[in-house]
């Protein structure tokens, strides 16, 4: 059995009891260090699309509108986006979201939870007076649970980008099955520009 004498910080070859050098350990350590450091130093780590700004607060109201839309009822989502900032949209500090999506006749619910969301479209009127037209999938959630919705910016500021909304339903939109136009409340956790 060989006795190995070396330390991790020595820059000299390790020597065994028989006097043979163990250059492999040092070479392997240097190689592995370089492999793990390379992606960090070059920025080549695989990631999702970068966040290029966003809004980090807001409050939305959902309202069911009987007699509207192709399914006989639409759900409107309106409200403010706050604490916004982006290098690409430097003068924007907030916005007013106004979208709608059809009531889901098949399930008898306007909730898109687990169904990939409801096809939604509308606008965001930004604090600098500009308007973005948005379209995508709006996902609702049961009270107290989070949802993630993605809207593409079709025109206006941010055209060609996406806005990913993190929201939490804090109150229901009322009895939609009975045709009432009750209001619900949705907290905006964040709306990230990608």
């Amino acid at each position: 059995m060989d006795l190995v004498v070396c330390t991790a910080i020595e820059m000299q070859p390790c020597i065994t009891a028989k006097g043979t050098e163990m250059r492999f350990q040092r070479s392997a350590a240097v190689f592995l260090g370089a492999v793990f450091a390379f992606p960090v130093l070059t920025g080549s780590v695989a990631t999702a699309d970068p966040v290029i700004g966003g809004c980090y607060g807001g409050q939305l109201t959902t309202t069911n509108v009987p007699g509207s839309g192709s399914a006989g009822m639409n759900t409107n989502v309106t409200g403010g986006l706050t604490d916004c900032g982006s290098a690409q949209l430097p003068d924007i500090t907030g916005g007013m979201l106004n979208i709608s999506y059809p009531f889901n006749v098949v399930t008898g619910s306007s909730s898109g939870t687990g169904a990939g969301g409801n096809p939604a479209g509308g606008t965001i009127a930004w604090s600098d007076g500009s308007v973005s037209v948005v379209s995508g999938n709006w996902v609702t959630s049961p009270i107290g649970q989070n949802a993630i919705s993605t809207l593409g910016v079709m025109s206006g500021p941010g055209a060609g980008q996406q806005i990913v909304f993190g929201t939490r339903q804090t109150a229901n939109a009322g009895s939609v099955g009975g045709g009432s136009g009750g209001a619900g409340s949705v907290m905006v956790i964040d709306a990230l520009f990608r």
Side-chain angles (χ1 to χ4, degrees):
M1 184 161 167
D2 290 340
L3 173 66
V4 176
V5 180
C6 60
T7 63
I9 42 180
E10 284 186 66
M11 295 306 292
Q12 299 175 1
C14 293
I15 307 296
T16 67
K18 293 182 180 176
T20 57
E21 294 181 0
M22 294 179 57
R23 293 182 190 272
F24 174 76
Q25 286 180 342
R26 183 176 55 171
S27 298
V30 170
F31 174 75
L32 289 175
V35 167
F36 289 119
F38 183 76
V40 173
L41 297 174
T42 63
S44 63
V45 176
T47 60
D49 290 338
V51 173
I52 55 175
C55 299
Y56 299 93
Q59 189 66 36
L60 307 174
T61 300
T62 59
T63 307
N64 298 308
V65 183
S68 64
S70 61
M73 185 181 312
N74 274 353
T75 300
N76 292 344
V77 180
T78 58
L81 303 173
T82 61
D83 301 320
C84 301
S86 170
Q88 288 189 340
L89 308 170
D91 298 326
I92 292 176
T93 58
M96 182 64 76
L97 177 70
N98 185 11
I99 62 169
S100 66
Y101 57 86
F103 178 73
N104 187 340
V105 180
V106 176
T107 63
S109 166
S110 60
S111 173
T113 303
N118 298 292
T123 60
I124 301 174
W126 297 108
S127 58
D128 67 351
S130 61
V131 176
S132 294
V133 175
V134 294
S135 178
N137 286 315
W138 189 261
V139 179
T140 61
S141 64
I143 290 179
Q145 294 184 16
N146 295 347
I148 296 176
S149 302
T150 302
L151 299 177
V153 181
M154 311 313 288
S155 64
Q161 303 292 321
Q162 291 184 329
I163 303 176
V164 179
F165 289 82
T167 59
R168 177 180 287 246
Q169 186 89 12
T170 56
N172 276 336
S175 171
V176 294
S180 70
S185 185
V186 177
M187 174 180 67
V188 177
I189 299 166
D190 55 36
L192 304 176
F193 308 152
R194 295 185 183 260

